[in-house]
Amino acid sequence: MSNLEKKNEYTGYRGFGSFMMEESVEELVYKADTNEYIEPEYPLFSLKPETIFLSLNSSINTNNNNNNNILFGHTFGKNNFFLDDTWVFINHGAFGATCRIAMEASRRWREYAEMQPLKFIDRELFIQLVRTQYHVSKLLHTRVADIAILPNATYGLNVAIKASNLQAGEVAIMLDIGYGSVKKILGEACILSGARLILISVQFPIETAQDIVKQVKDILSTIKEPIGLCVFDHITSNSALVLPVKELVTLSRTFGARHVLIDGAHGIASQELDIPSFGADWYISNAHKWLCSTKGVAIMHVSGENIRKCTRSIIISHGYGSGFSSEFSWDGCRDYSGALALTPLLYWWNSVGGLARARTYCTSLLQEAISLLTKRWSTKTHGPLNMYGTMACIELPSRNIPKGPTNSAHAKAIQDRLYAEYKIEVPIKVLPASGTIAGAENLRLYVRISAATYNELDDYEKLANAICSMQWDE
Ligand SMILES: Cc1ncc(COP(=O)(O)O)c(C=O)c1O
């Protein structure tokens, strides 16, 4: 006789669709926010984070409890990442780089799933996903119920902008230094709703983060219509600036913004995050950038029950109508292994001394690299040093770049040469040294460098030399 027959409890389907869960996803996530939560067993010993960690042939001395001795840099990179060391890879900011434990854990979950696909998907997947959310919530200081694991930041940004439910007669605000595709998502939402899009043109040079706050305040104070939504990047992609998001959220609320969304695509791991403290309605971050997960993993945070209720999935599947966690836990059959690999990934970061220690390495290395490049090229950074975290933009020396008015063709030509002749992967950006992007007369070329745990100063030395050796036909 089965357990169910013994208990004489034929409860029917507890969750959505025909998944064979004993508790619904909503019950699971709410329980995970209480002291009652007990992590589920791992279905196989080989799926346990510590087993995966130990089985990887890394340089890490696991008998040593003081992992603060582990050295970051090239050897660390060789042991823990897949990067081809014939390249100088200083563009982590673009798409991150997946570390070995995330890839291995993901592979193991994928193989496990295929041992009995129905057992895994019907009965185990959601329980294991809630465990992942539980661990992520501890990192980000959030409730388990307030986060969803999504395939990428773009997905979450679409969801949040739709959930803001812009209305005709309202305005939607974004900075012109915000991410290109988000301007498109917001622009489309404005067209559909009849709201007016205001792109605030940030004036450069910026001396301090307060300059941005003041510029935003000056514009907000001129707006007559109600503000439906303000969108701010936590870390801007092209210009690499870490924006004072907490202050920008507070400012937006002061001017009556109905909703505030933070595009924190670069946020997790590159910044210490206490997401609820920002006060935004949504914070969205990729895990595949600075947390080094496998590609296709992002986190969306919603601030509490009201935003949880109005944030609906743009993909309608079985969980639709059953609650926030249900809608976002299943958007059709796909590979969830990257999300399940987050727990071993966090375990690994702790084992190498913790994310804070890794961040200290990256931010110090970045400042050293800035110093090296600005001295070698006799140029300046685009923004103030204290607005950079793990990425920065440094002006290229005019003697080593194509002559004539600055344009994106020149940027591409330099980036292509660094790639093809020097095997250096780094983006070249066209940014305003003064004025705004719209005022093209003050544009300059900058290199956007990233500093990750696998980089060393020598990487930037190679970049310095490569640029210094570049000649261009008149
Ligand atoms: C600021 C910002 N927002 C959004 C995105 C989109 O991220 P994804 O392509 O992973 O969805 C990026 C990607 O680089 C970004 O830098």
Side-chain angles (χ1 to χ4, degrees), residues 220-394:
L220 292 186
S221 61
T222 64
I223 293 171
K224 303 277 184 293
E225 303 104 302
I227 302 172
L229 173 66
C230 292
V231 184
F232 300 108
D233 291 32
H234 194 172
I235 297 132
T236 60
S237 177
N238 280 338
S239 45
L241 296 169
V242 182
L243 299 186
V245 280
K246 190 171 178 175
E247 280 181 76
L248 291 170
V249 174
T250 308
L251 185 68
S252 307
R253 302 279 191 212
T254 311
F255 283 92
R258 207 160 45 76
H259 288 300
V260 188
L261 159 64
I262 304 298
D263 173 0
H266 294 265
I268 295 184
S270 89
Q271 297 289 308
E272 164 77 49
L273 291 182
D274 178 347
I275 290 184
S277 75
F278 296 140
D281 297 310
W282 300 275
Y283 186 102
I284 292 152
S285 182
N286 279 322
H288 54 231
K289 283 193 192 277
W290 293 91
L291 196 62
C292 306
S293 74
T294 55
K295 301 288 179 279
V297 186
I299 309 296
M300 172 171 68
H301 174 259
V302 296
S303 69
E305 288 307 318
N306 287 342
I307 304 299
R308 209 176 178 270
K309 276 202 191 87
C310 75
T311 307
R312 308 298 304 270
S313 177
I314 42 175
I315 302 295
I316 298 180
S317 185
H318 297 299
Y320 191 74
S322 297
F324 172 82
S325 301
S326 307
E327 288 194 11
F328 288 100
S329 295
W330 182 264
D331 50 17
C333 186
R334 63 177 168 90
D335 181 1
Y336 290 85
S337 64
L340 296 176
L342 287 180
T343 308
L345 174 59
L346 293 174
Y347 181 93
W348 172 77
W349 276 116
N350 281 336
S351 312
V352 297
L355 277 167
R357 184 170 168 268
R359 208 161 30 241
T360 303
Y361 175 82
C362 298
T363 51
S364 317
L365 177 62
L366 186 92
Q367 295 294 333
E368 283 179 61
I370 291 173
S371 167
L372 183 153
L373 294 171
T374 50
K375 278 191 194 124
R376 289 288 305 280
W377 297 340
S378 304
T379 60
K380 291 190 198 145
T381 53
H382 178 249
L385 294 185
N386 63 9
M387 284 185 77
Y388 291 133
T390 52
M391 301 189 292
C393 289
I394 298 124

Side-chain angles (χ1 to χ4, degrees), residues 201-220:
S201 283
V202 175
Q203 305 286 315
F204 289 92
I206 297 287
E207 303 287 339
T208 71
Q210 287 314 306
D211 291 354
I212 296 216
V213 177
K214 180 169 183 317
Q215 291 186 30
V216 173
K217 186 175 179 190
D218 289 347
I219 300 291
L220 292 186

Side-chain angles (χ1 to χ4, degrees), residues 2 5 22 42 100 138 172 175 189 200 228 235 286 364 374 389 415 437 449 468:
S2 75
E5 282 167 324
E22 298 206 356
Y42 282 95
R100 287 183 188 273
K138 295 277 167 279
L175 307 187
I200 298 180
I235 297 132
N286 279 322
S364 317
T374 50
Q415 189 169 330
I437 286 176
I449 56 167
C468 288

